[in-house]
Amino acid sequence: MEIIKTGNYDELSKYAGEIILKEIKSDEKTLICLASGDTPQGAYTYVAEALKGKDLSKYNFVFVGLDEWAGMDKNDKGSCQDYMQRDLFGKLNLGPDQLVEFNAKSDNLEEECRKMDAFIEENGGLDLVILGVGMNGHLGLNEPGTSFDKYSHVVDLSENTKEVAKKYFETERKLEKGITLGIKHFLEAKKEVLIISGSKKADIAKKVAEEEVSVEIPATSAKLHRNSCLILDSESSSRL
């Protein structure tokens, strides 16, 4: 796993944004998976500005949703899909087939997992995955202890994730389960990019960069990838 230290959050955002733009403009069909959350917002702003007013339906890419809280969709303020709509998807002129996401309001979430896995497999796998790293090292909703051999799956949320997630909602929401792409998807992607920013993430950044691969820190799985990188700003890399 390559470790890339940038000077500040704006530089991190531009670096990650350029990776996304390159994939969007690729001549070949590509599947791009992007995480919601605070860390990638700057990168998405950079991408949205670069593509402002452009008809993207002529480009040969599909955005694939990473995860969602069970029982929510883009119409639920604070959901993962709501954030992605506000931060990026809603700012782009996407074609009708350029966004595929979980239906986390389905009565059969296991079937949703199978449908997503089939879509990804039929389209040759993910080409690019951009992932933020949680305070406990989670990727998407793959919590500590999650097997690296899982594809899409339904998860019981950890207490840590439920506590952190409160900041996304204006009113109290009961969060117990989620649906997410699995670490095996990330490991099979052509390129995996982890991004970490801010001083509060300095401890987990050090663990991801320097500790051995362990299911207890899901983000360390990126070290098993043949083409992965970890992008840090000066604050998150301060303990390396």
Side-chain angles (χ1 to χ4, degrees), residues 94-107:
L94 297 175
D97 299 320
Q98 287 182 304
L99 176 59
V100 175
E101 297 177 300
F102 287 114
N103 174 13
K105 287 189 172 180
S106 170
D107 292 330

Side-chain angles (χ1 to χ4, degrees), residues 68-69 81 115 146 154 156 185 195 210-211 230 233:
E68 187 53 273
W69 314 111
Q81 293 173 11
K115 284 162 59 177
T146 301
V154 180
D156 293 317
H185 283 305
I195 53 176
E210 299 179 1
E211 293 191 7
L230 169 62
D233 62 7

